[in-house]
Structure formats: C-alpha cells, structure tokens
Amino acid sequence: MSRLTGFCRPFFLPGILLSIFLGINSAHGSRPSTEIREQPSVKNSSNKVMWNAVPVPEQAPCNRSGMADLPGVRLWYSDTGGDGPTVVLSHAHSGSADFWGYQQPVLTKAGYRVITYSRRGHGKSERGNETDFGFADVDLHNLVVTFLGVDKFHLVGVAAGGGIAIDYALSHPERLISLTIASSLIDVIDPEYVKLLSNLHRKDLTRNIPNYYIELSASYRAGNPAGTTEWIELEKLVMSGDVQNLGKISQRHTNKIIWKAVDSIKVPTLLMTGDADSYVPPSLLRLQASHMKHAEVLIISEAGHAPNWEQPEAFNSAVLKFFQKQDGTTGGQSTTSPANKNIVTLSAFAD
C-alpha cells in the first residue's frame, strides 16, 4: 500500500458521490426539505452494489515544497504555483497536508494555485517552542502571506482547520477571497454552545474509540475498506515527535471566538458537513449558519467528519462552483461532470 508523504506524486483510491444542497433562509425556522439524486451504482469486487469508484487524478507537480522557516517554527508546505487564484487548505486535527490528495490535483487542473501545509506537530512540521505553541492563524499568515508572498486567497478549513479559518477571517478579512468551513465545530466559546457540544460529544463514552470509527461514516467504512485503511495509515503519520511524552499540540486563537464575532464575518462563506458527521451533524450546521446568514450551506450525504476524503467529487464540485462564483470565472479547465449533475440547490424553508 502506498502512503502519501507530501503530494507531487500519484495515488489512487475508490470513492462515491451522493450529495444534497441545503439553502438557509434566516427569516424562517421550519424543517428543511431535501432532495436526493443518486449516481448510477456500480458493483464492487464482491459483486455487491455498495460504492461508486472515484479514481483520484495524479497529483499535480509542485512548484515549491519543503520546510518553511517561520518565526519560532519550521512548517512543511507544498505550493503548485501558477498565476491563478490561490487556495489554501487547512487540515483537521487528525490530519496533515497529506489528507488533501483528492483536492490538490482537481483544484490545480481548474486553474488554481494550491497551497497545503501541516500545522505544528503534524506530519513533517516541527513542534516549535514546547512552552508556547503560539497562534495557528499567525503561523498561517506567516507562511502564506509573508513567506510565500500571497496577497489574497480562498481559505478552506476542515474540522479543526475550520476553527483556525474562522480565527483568520476575524484577524485578516482583507486577505480572503472566500471562506469554506467543512465539518467544523468552529471553536465558539459561548457557554450555551460549549454545553451543547459537551452533551453531544460524550468523552467518557468515546475516549477509547479509534478516530477512524468516529470520523469516517459507517457507509464509507463498509463501502470503501481500502480507503478506510489508507486513512488509518495516514493518521498514524500525523503526529510528529514523542506525542506520548510531549502531548498533542494545542495552539491558541488570536480572537475570542463568540457568536457576536462570527456574526461580524462578511467574507463570502460556504458551510458544509456530512449527513453522518457525529461531531457536526446537520442540526449543528444550521445553528452555525444562523450566525452566518450570508453563507451558502451544503450537506453531503453518506459522509461523516471527513467529507473531502469520503465524498471527494461532491466536495470538489461544490468548492469549485463556490470559488468560481467569487472569482467570476469558470477556472482554467471545465468542471462539468456527472458529479455536478448530482448536486442540487434547494430552498430549505417555505415562505
């Protein structure tokens, strides 16, 4: 089995697409209607109809990659370069730069400059000062703006990467073309929200359950065992250093992330989650969307806490459509595909 170690080389995994769009109308509070259009199914090697194979394109070549010397730390990054709009991908706490393998070639082919990186203590990146890990949004800014010289960019954050993206949007809204937040708790600290999350995420019940079992949907694990195994192997490579003795990296936010602050974000925003996400179920996403009334909202079916990995066609098609709307372009390559035909924009609330 191949292991991803920084992109700029091919890898292949099977997959499936089944998606629904959910539009939010903040003036109403009735239950949303939904519609699902299924992609024609295919048979797996066991001759049982379970999952649709989605081959991953060969990884796009990197213009630059390696360790970036930043204030207080060295972070690993990859940069495809090019003259198109820039996209920066911020990974989950259980991930690293290697978890964007489904997105990097697709976004590059569509005409975008794609930057991935691993945060402190993840993947190949160093941990930095053990007494002060600093601020994740500051590291992001130092890498993308100061080190790589990017002026404005699309920022995509999955799970914990979404909380960092929210923090960055509060610190540097002028730098963002758009903001995409997927399957993220967004790190709001209002007491009622914290209490809601503590009831939703019972650590006393889940502390001994492997991450893959919580983060990947049951449908994905059953339908794509090879992809599940690859995810598990990649996760083993996530935490650098002696994690058992030194502990996991916990970086602070620059801003106090409360609902009032989230309400103030005006950057064009796409919110999404998987319908089987045990961390960020659709009901929680609707709460988040009620504080970002300008946001587009997407639910991806048969996906858990890693929609970019579990349902890459749905994720990529939605993100590209959103980016191109902000850029006023159709990108460097056509993105018309069967996947796009299965994404339906709906009115969630009746007038």
Side-chain angles (χ1 to χ4, degrees):
M1 178 186 302
S2 66
R3 297 191 300 182
L4 307 184
T5 56
F7 295 154
C8 305
R9 67 183 185 84
F11 74 105
F12 301 93
L13 287 174
I16 163 181
L17 168 66
L18 182 62
S19 63
I20 57 175
F21 257 107
L22 186 68
I24 297 294
N25 182 335
S26 60
H28 303 282
S30 57
R31 187 172 61 185
S33 60
T34 58
E35 178 180 348
I36 297 176
R37 295 183 185 178
E38 295 190 19
Q39 192 178 20
S41 58
V42 295
K43 295 181 179 181
N44 66 10
S45 59
S46 300
N47 202 35
K48 295 179 180 179
V49 177
M50 292 182 68
W51 207 254
N52 290 304
V54 178
V56 176
E58 180 178 338
Q59 298 298 287
C62 295
N63 181 55
R64 300 172 65 183
S65 66
M67 300 295 285
D69 289 309
L70 306 179
V73 73
R74 298 173 72 238
L75 299 184
W76 191 94
Y77 76 97
S78 71
D79 179 2
T80 62
D83 298 326
T86 300
V87 178
V88 177
L89 303 175
S90 180
H91 61 77
H93 183 67
S94 58
S96 68
D98 292 337
F99 278 75
W100 294 107
Y102 278 113
Q103 284 67 54
Q104 189 256 23
V106 174
L107 296 176
T108 304
K109 184 178 180 180
Y112 290 91
R113 174 185 178 182
V114 181
I115 296 171
T116 67
Y117 75 106
S118 295
R119 293 192 299 276
R120 295 186 186 219
H122 290 71
K124 298 177 182 177
S125 291
E126 295 178 352
R127 293 172 63 90
N129 187 339
E130 290 292 337
T131 62
D132 184 0
F133 293 122
F135 302 90
D137 71 309
V138 173
D139 284 348
L140 189 159
H141 188 80
N142 287 338
L143 172 66
V144 176
V145 176
T146 305
F147 182 81
L148 294 175
V150 177
D151 182 31
K152 300 192 71 171
F153 54 97
H154 298 279
L155 179 56
V156 179
V158 168
I164 294 163
I166 288 286
D167 196 26
Y168 191 86
L170 292 171
S171 295
H172 299 285
E174 76 284 354
R175 294 292 184 180
L176 297 181
I177 304 170
S178 75
L179 180 66
T180 297
I181 307 293
S183 293
S184 178
L185 300 175
I186 69 174
D187 297 344
V188 168
I189 60 173
D190 289 72
E192 288 186 2
Y193 187 71
V194 173
K195 182 178 180 180
L196 184 158
L197 296 184
S198 66
N199 291 332
L200 177 62
H201 309 134
R202 291 280 303 278
K203 292 185 178 180
D204 58 320
L205 300 178
T206 61
R207 64 169 53 96
N208 295 320
I209 299 177
N211 277 342
Y212 80 90
Y213 197 87
I214 300 175
E215 298 198 20
L216 301 177
S217 68
S219 188
Y220 179 81
R221 299 196 312 270
N224 194 350
T228 300
T229 299
E230 185 75 3
W231 192 96
I232 293 170
E233 292 303 311
L234 283 177
E235 192 201 12
K236 292 177 182 177
L237 303 176
V238 166
M239 295 297 174
S240 60
D242 188 352
V243 176
Q244 184 174 357
N245 293 324
L246 298 178
K248 293 183 177 180
I249 295 290
S250 180
Q251 291 186 270
R252 305 188 304 278
H253 289 310
T254 296
N255 299 278
K256 185 178 181 180
I257 303 180
I258 57 177
W259 285 128
K260 185 177 181 179
V262 175
D263 289 337
S264 72
I265 295 174
K266 304 304 179 187
V267 176
T269 302
L270 173 63
L271 295 173
M272 68 175 87
T273 195
D275 67 352
D277 190 337
S278 60
Y279 282 106
V280 189
S283 58
L284 192 65
L285 192 74
R286 287 195 289 272
L287 173 60
Q288 296 174 1
S290 72
H291 290 275
M292 305 182 79
K293 296 180 173 61
H294 65 292
E296 297 184 22
V297 183
L298 166 65
I299 306 294
I300 300 179
S301 66
E302 292 195 52
H305 197 53
N308 61 308
W309 180 274
E310 297 170 82
Q311 299 287 5
E313 280 195 342
F315 187 95
N316 294 346
S317 295
V319 167
L320 276 171
K321 182 178 179 181
F322 178 66
F323 288 170
Q324 292 163 1
K325 183 186 298 184
Q326 315 311 318
D327 297 329
T329 179
T330 56
Q333 300 287 337
S334 171
T335 58
T336 301
S337 68
N340 287 359
K341 296 177 183 178
N342 291 331
I343 296 177
V344 184
T345 303
L346 303 172
S347 175
F349 299 103
D351 291 332

